[in-house]
Amino acid sequence: MTATAMVAIVLGTCLAGFVQGLSGFAFGLVAMSVWAWTIEPQLAGPMVVWGSWIGQILSLGSVRGGLLWRRALPFVVGGVAGVPVGAWLLRYVDVGAFRGCVGVVLIGYSSAMLFARQLPALRRGGALADGAVGALGGVMGGLGGLTGPAPTLWCTLRGWDKDAQRSVFQIFNLAMHTLTLAVYFVGGTLTAAMVPAFALMVPVAVVPTLVGVVVYRRVDERAFRRVVLGLLLASGVALVVSVAVG
């Protein structure tokens, strides 16, 4: 591992760890903005999943009153069922076009909701609708590595308070990252050459993630909503740009 790569790993992990500690997601969005310039994609992809998984573990205690496992269960079940469907669709769908379309949708919806004085609260559908959204996230993950946007946006529209929102999409993301790491391991994607980078990320992530959690506990509902929507908007822009330049 070169000195340049080590600096990039430390910087990307610190910045992404803080943002994930604050928001409960978006590790990959932030980390890849640093790593894309110096880390080869074959390593950067698994590093994102690993860093996201570590960040979720570190911030599990961020939600006051504990995580809402029962509320999150339909999302997780749907997500697990959706991942293989998305993987199967890879043979028939242009992934670049798919990611670009998702980016455009995220830009449109996130921009509109950022400027809305009050978001519409979706009360109907219950666990069945939640499971369907989780399945959509799983399909998007299997197809294009985009498990997070659908459940995160849905939780925002549900009108839940910030702890309930974070609890759901944090449990969902943790489950999806765990599944992805298992698939990587079984499929041979994880190699011994990745161990030094993975090992370096663990101690580096601790302090920034916990600082992000402290900040999260101090922001109000409106500020948290704007953070989530802002990160979704940034994700959409990043997707569109990546397709345009790729």
Side-chain angles (χ1 to χ4, degrees):
M1 187 188 311
T2 66
T4 301
M6 290 182 65
V7 171
I9 290 171
V10 170
L11 179 59
T13 302
C14 285
L15 294 174
F18 172 78
V19 171
Q20 181 163 296
L22 170 60
S23 66
F25 70 107
F27 184 97
L29 170 67
V30 178
M32 286 302 289
S33 68
V34 178
W35 294 344
W37 306 100
T38 55
I39 308 296
E40 60 272 18
Q42 293 80 4
L43 175 59
M47 281 171 55
V48 163
V49 180
W50 172 250
S52 300
W53 188 82
I54 293 296
Q56 298 292 0
I57 294 294
L58 289 171
S59 57
L60 278 178
S62 61
V63 178
R64 292 183 177 89
L67 294 170
L68 304 177
W69 296 96
R70 182 173 296 179
R71 180 174 289 186
L73 183 60
F75 291 89
V76 174
V77 172
V80 171
V83 168
V85 176
W88 174 76
L89 287 173
L90 273 173
R91 292 175 286 179
Y92 307 101
V93 177
D94 185 314
V95 176
F98 169 76
R99 292 172 70 88
C101 290
V102 172
V104 170
V105 171
L106 285 176
I107 291 171
Y109 273 90
S110 300
S111 299
M113 289 192 292
L114 274 170
F115 290 104
R117 292 187 177 181
Q118 185 173 2
L119 293 181
L122 301 178
R123 307 294 186 187
R124 298 182 179 180
L128 184 61
D130 294 341
V133 172
L136 176 60
V139 171
M140 292 171 62
L143 181 57
L146 302 171
T147 56
T152 303
L153 186 58
W154 181 254
C155 289
T156 303
L157 292 173
R158 271 299 205 186
W160 296 332
D161 62 52
K162 68 170 190 173
D163 284 334
Q165 291 180 47
R166 179 173 179 132
S167 179
V168 169
F169 56 68
Q170 187 161 346
I171 293 172
F172 178 81
N173 288 333
L174 178 60
M176 294 300 100
H177 295 326
T178 302
L179 175 61
T180 302
L181 286 172
V183 171
Y184 281 174
F185 180 78
V186 173
T189 301
L190 302 180
T191 65
M194 297 178 179
V195 172
F198 279 30
L200 176 60
M201 290 171 64
V202 175
V204 171
V206 174
V207 172
T209 302
L210 296 181
V211 170
V213 169
V214 171
V215 176
Y216 161 76
R217 289 174 173 168
R218 295 182 179 180
V219 301
D220 59 20
E221 300 285 344
R222 181 179 177 82
F224 181 72
R225 186 194 80 175
R226 296 187 71 83
V227 167
V228 171
L229 292 175
L231 289 171
L232 287 172
L233 175 59
S235 298
V237 172
L239 286 171
V240 171
V241 170
S242 68
V243 172
V245 302

